[in-house]
Amino acid sequence: MNKRSWEEKLWIIVDKGEKILLRVIIVGFVALVVVQSMLTSDSMRFYLSWAERLEGQPLQEWSNPSARVMESESTVFAYLTVELADFSSLAKARILINGTEVADFRNKQVTIKVYPDDLIEIDGSFYDRRLKFEIIGVSDSIGEPTLHQVIQTYRSVTSLGKVKFK
């Protein structure tokens, strides 16, 4: 094999590769411009962008209020433990966070996960008697409501107040 013929074959391959590479770059640039222009349309953006489909959907915890109920106290989340004082169980007495029912008092005490400015209420409107509840556990980071705060309801919804952090 002649050295000159080998170099000529190499240059032919390089020329063809250069042409192919230039075409790929041009097609890629045109595709990029087309897709970017399609993203300016709201209807197309919904199908082209995964993040667009998630936008505006509530966090799973907020759409499922029972996710706020905790099995035990936590060092990771701010928590509040409320205990039913006079009875061992009242299934129709409920805890509301921001107006949404998150737990009931089938068990004597309930531990819930709270965030700043959550409005905590106890709904005892089902029962025709005075009900007494006491806060028996509070995270160190919570300033209000306070530990050992007593709440009484009589056929009403009673507010513990908004959660305030220290």
Side-chain angles (χ1 to χ4, degrees):
M1 183 179 217
N2 191 347
K3 183 176 181 178
R4 180 161 252 210
S5 66
W6 180 80
E7 286 179 358
E8 288 175 7
K9 288 181 183 180
L10 181 63
W11 280 113
I12 292 171
I13 292 171
V14 168
D15 281 341
K16 287 183 180 180
E18 184 180 350
K19 289 178 184 175
I20 290 171
L21 184 61
L22 187 60
R23 288 181 183 148
V24 167
I25 290 172
I26 290 172
V27 168
F29 182 73
V30 169
L32 177 70
V33 169
V34 168
V35 169
Q36 288 295 320
S37 65
M38 289 169 62
L39 283 173
T40 61
S41 168
D42 286 337
S43 59
M44 289 301 291
R45 187 175 0 165
F46 181 76
Y47 295 105
L48 293 175
S49 173
W50 178 69
E52 188 74 20
R53 284 176 263 172
L54 294 177
E55 189 172 316
Q57 292 183 359
L59 184 63
Q60 187 68 16
E61 180 176 302
W62 297 108
S63 61
N64 182 10
S66 64
R68 291 269 192 122
V69 178
M70 301 171 63
E71 295 297 320
S72 62
E73 297 174 352
S74 169
T75 58
V76 178
F77 298 108
Y79 67 89
L80 190 71
T81 303
V82 181
E83 182 178 64
L84 183 58
D86 298 332
F87 301 94
S88 61
S89 173
L90 292 175
K92 299 290 184 179
R94 304 173 307 191
I95 292 185
L96 309 173
I97 298 179
N98 300 323
T100 304
E101 178 184 342
V102 294
D104 57 33
F105 285 92
R106 288 185 190 146
N107 297 325
K108 188 169 179 67
Q109 64 183 3
V110 176
T111 302
I112 54 173
K113 189 187 320 180
V114 294
Y115 296 103
D117 294 326
D118 277 347
L119 178 62
I120 312 296
E121 298 171 307
I122 296 181
D123 181 3
S125 59
F126 180 82
Y127 297 100
D128 191 21
R129 61 177 77 110
R130 290 202 183 279
L131 303 177
K132 186 176 174 184
F133 301 89
E134 182 180 359
I135 298 175
I136 61 165
V138 175
S139 292
D140 293 335
S141 60
I142 295 178
E144 288 181 24
T146 58
L147 189 62
H148 302 299
Q149 180 178 340
V150 176
I151 305 95
Q152 291 188 4
T153 66
Y154 179 68
R155 298 174 57 183
S156 65
V157 177
T158 304
S159 175
L160 288 164
K162 287 196 172 201
V163 176
K164 300 214 185 313
F165 280 36
K166 293 180 182 175

